Amino acid sequence: SSPHLVQVRERIRINGQPISKDLFNKYFWLVYNRLEETKDPEHASMPAYFRFLTIMAFHVFLQEKVDLAVVEVGIGGTYDCTNIIRAPVVCGVSSLGIDHTSILGDTMEKIAWQKGGIFKPGVPAFTVAQPERPLEVLKQRAQERKCPLYLCPELDDFEEGCRALELGLAGAHQRSNAALALQLARTWLQRHGCDGLGELKEVPPSTELVGRPVPLAPAFQLTDAMIQGLRNTEWLGRTQVLSHGPVTWYLDGAHTTSSIQACVRWFCQAALNQDKPHDGSEVRVLLFNATGDRDTAALLKLLVPCHFDYAVFCPNFMEVSANNADQQNFNVTLENALTRCLENQRTWTRLLEEKLGQDPWFPSPLRVGGLLQPAPARGSLLLVPPAPRPLNSPALVFPCLAQALRWVAQGRDPHLAAPAALGAHPHPAASSGAVLLREAAAVRVLVTGSLHLVGGALRLLDPALSQ
């Protein structure tokens, strides 16, 4: 699976656990040296990062004799390097979203074409409810590849006659993922002789799908192991809540419009379910970053209804000075990343101005301009558009995650040190915000927009993950 959040070893797991450092080290050098010895002497190139890790993962699974490997594509499917598996047991396509548009195309139909590239002749494939036109593309790809394609029933259909299924992952959108997982698991179990899990009707690949809806796979009686598996599933950085005293961190690596919409629904519900402070003083903070070719303005617009008191933007760098090999992106400079953050800050301020201009309850709109310049002598950087009142969601930019998290927590999270020094950020919005954050009975922080941002935050908030 990819990307990793804290350590690269997360990408290659056996029995749900990242492989050990010793095992990773052993197989990394074995594969690296073998490739180095046998590479084309004329072109003399080694596989790029993701391709190398994919080759290494296959080698690990073969050498460690795993019974079943679940392989997630990196980007797309058709041209993804994981797509060299010629005869998988089963294929699955989860809910489609607009992402990686420069590689996959800028419409859902183009993206569906790429995803359908993993279909294989005679190998059953499953998908979940999709918009009509992308689903039609998946049908066409299945026909081309003589692949029987089925639609997963809703998770509700598995609950008939039994108690409601409990999912370890929060968020309504995880129900379709769970329904897909059940169908994939059933197919593998049937291949290995397990009976009583519901039979698929044979779909002649060249005729059945033509001009017809995708046939619905049957719901079936779940085994106790399946029910327990759904309940015990954990996946860091997706709808994850960390309660650290008065500061509650809501972590979700959403980075597409559809996943941000799901994130907003989850966060609003999760924050609503938390105990309200007795004095009612609650401060909401957004910590956001986005990377690649994503439409940041569209993502931020979806987050406005959450009513954040502060929006904090920072690059996916842990510290300004320190490098961490597992989380370093050598394709992006700090300057480029900060420029992106400043653009996000301006976008957020503009979105709030538009919202406040339509809202008669707010007496005055935000005024943009007059950004505070960095002060190299202090080693800190803070950029804040001035606001006439402290709770008009001022937007702040910090140069790294550590500084951003420390400012938000204000020494109230035992896992984080207090901000370096009082007065390090002299801007009135930052100073007044620090006071409000220190005095609030509850601080609720949503970290989203990038899995790499969430991974960096997890590394700081839960140091045990780095061990």
Side-chain angles (χ1 to χ4, degrees):
S1 63
S2 62
H4 62 273
L5 292 174
V6 177
Q7 298 193 76
V8 69
R9 295 182 293 110
E10 297 165 31
R11 294 176 183 237
I12 306 174
R13 300 166 185 253
I14 297 179
N15 294 333
Q17 297 301 312
I19 62 173
S20 68
K21 290 181 179 179
D22 287 344
L23 214 55
F24 186 93
N25 187 51
K26 169 187 168 182
Y27 285 124
F28 177 93
W29 287 113
L30 195 155
V31 173
Y32 185 92
N33 291 332
R34 189 80 54 84
L35 289 170
E36 182 71 35
E37 292 161 8
T38 57
K39 69 185 179 185
D40 183 338
E42 286 190 29
H43 298 95
S45 62
M46 291 284 278
Y49 184 83
F50 184 82
R51 291 186 177 198
F52 180 89
L53 289 173
T54 302
I55 296 167
M56 179 176 160
F58 287 140
H59 186 73
V60 170
F61 295 151
L62 289 166
Q63 294 301 308
E64 295 297 313
K65 297 180 171 54
V66 299
D67 303 297
L68 163 69
V70 181
V71 179
E72 181 199 26
V73 300
I75 294 177
T78 300
Y79 305 116
D80 191 83
C81 63
T82 59
N83 199 27
I84 63 168
I85 303 171
R86 295 177 184 176
V89 173
V90 62
C91 296
V93 176
S94 59
S95 183
L96 296 171
I98 296 285
D99 198 16
H100 303 294
T101 52
S102 62
I103 300 171
L104 303 182
D106 55 2
T107 68
M108 291 277 275
E109 291 81 3
K110 292 176 182 175
I111 290 170
W113 188 92
Q114 295 279 0
K115 299 289 184 183
I118 66 170
F119 296 160
K120 301 292 185 291
V123 174
F126 296 87
T127 189
V128 297
Q130 310 279 9
E132 183 179 352
R133 289 172 65 186
L135 184 60
E136 184 64 35
V137 172
L138 290 176
K139 279 172 53 180
Q140 291 168 3
R141 294 288 269 163
Q143 286 169 233
E144 291 167 10
R145 292 173 170 259
K146 298 180 172 51
C147 160
L149 175 65
Y150 300 90
L151 199 61
C152 294
E154 299 288 337
L155 197 61
D156 296 1
D157 296 340
F158 291 92
E159 294 178 339
E160 292 178 7
C162 69
R163 62 187 183 281
L165 293 170
E166 183 184 340
L167 299 187
L169 297 176
H173 58 291
Q174 296 294 354
R175 293 182 68 81
S176 74
N177 290 336
L180 179 60
L182 288 172
Q183 294 293 344
L184 301 180
R186 182 202 61 81
T187 305
W188 189 83
L189 288 167
Q190 280 194 321
R191 171 73 74 88
H192 288 76
C194 296
D195 298 320
L197 292 171
E199 296 299 321
L200 288 176
K201 293 176 183 174
E202 284 302 315
V203 181
S206 58
T207 58
E208 187 73 15
L209 292 180
V210 177
R212 299 185 56 176
V214 175
L216 192 67
F220 51 88
Q221 185 73 38
L222 301 188
T223 65
D224 290 342
M226 287 176 171
I227 294 169
Q228 183 181 343
L230 293 176
R231 183 171 58 241
N232 294 346
T233 297
E234 292 181 348
W235 202 253
L236 298 181
R238 278 77 165 179
T239 59
Q240 183 181 2
V241 180
L242 294 176
S243 296
H244 291 181
V247 186
T248 306
W249 305 91
Y250 300 82
L251 305 158
D252 192 72
H255 50 272
T256 66
T257 50
S258 55
S259 60
I260 287 283
Q261 286 170 330
C263 171
V264 166
R265 288 192 294 270
W266 162 72
F267 171 72
C268 290
Q269 189 61 44
L272 198 66
N273 291 341
Q274 290 280 329
D275 292 334
K276 293 291 173 192
H278 297 302
D279 63 359
S281 63
E282 175 183 299
V283 177
R284 286 189 177 191
V285 181
L286 170 66
L287 177 56
F288 180 92
N289 191 39
T291 59
D293 53 9
R294 297 182 175 93
D295 183 352
T296 310
L299 303 184
L300 288 173
K301 188 172 184 177
L302 296 170
L303 290 159
V304 169
C306 293
H307 302 295
F308 293 106
D309 299 304
Y310 291 91
V312 175
F313 303 98
C314 71
N316 297 343
F317 292 98
M318 299 277 294
E319 301 269 4
V320 175
S321 55
N323 288 332
N324 181 275
D326 273 11
Q327 292 181 308
Q328 189 75 17
N329 184 347
F330 295 99
N331 297 318
V332 179
T333 65
L334 176 59
E335 184 179 3
N336 290 341
L338 278 173
T339 300
R340 179 95 181 242
C341 291
L342 290 169
E343 290 169 358
N344 293 342
Q345 178 193 52
R346 283 191 288 270
T347 299
W348 182 256
T349 306
R350 176 178 53 77
L351 288 168
L352 289 175
E353 275 196 307
E354 292 170 359
K355 179 178 183 292
L356 299 185
Q358 300 163 2
D359 191 340
W361 294 104
F362 284 88
S364 56
L366 296 174
R367 286 189 290 274
V368 191
L371 296 176
L372 183 70
Q373 294 303 308
R378 275 201 306 272
S380 66
L381 172 70
L382 177 71
L383 299 144
V384 190
R389 48 195 288 272
L391 285 186
N392 267 9
S393 292
L396 299 83
V397 173
F398 289 91
C400 66
L401 255 167
Q403 285 194 29
L405 292 179
R406 287 180 195 130
W407 181 84
V408 171
Q410 289 297 317
R412 305 180 71 190
D413 183 329
H415 295 85
L416 295 170
L422 291 172
H425 306 305
H427 193 281
S431 302
S432 61
V435 173
L436 284 166
L437 289 164
R438 281 197 296 269
E439 295 180 352
V443 179
R444 311 209 189 283
V445 192
L446 175 62
V447 185
T448 193
S450 163
L451 277 165
H452 303 289
L453 178 78
V454 166
L458 272 173
R459 189 182 182 92
L460 292 164
L461 294 169
D462 188 354
L465 291 173
S466 302
Q467 303 308 312

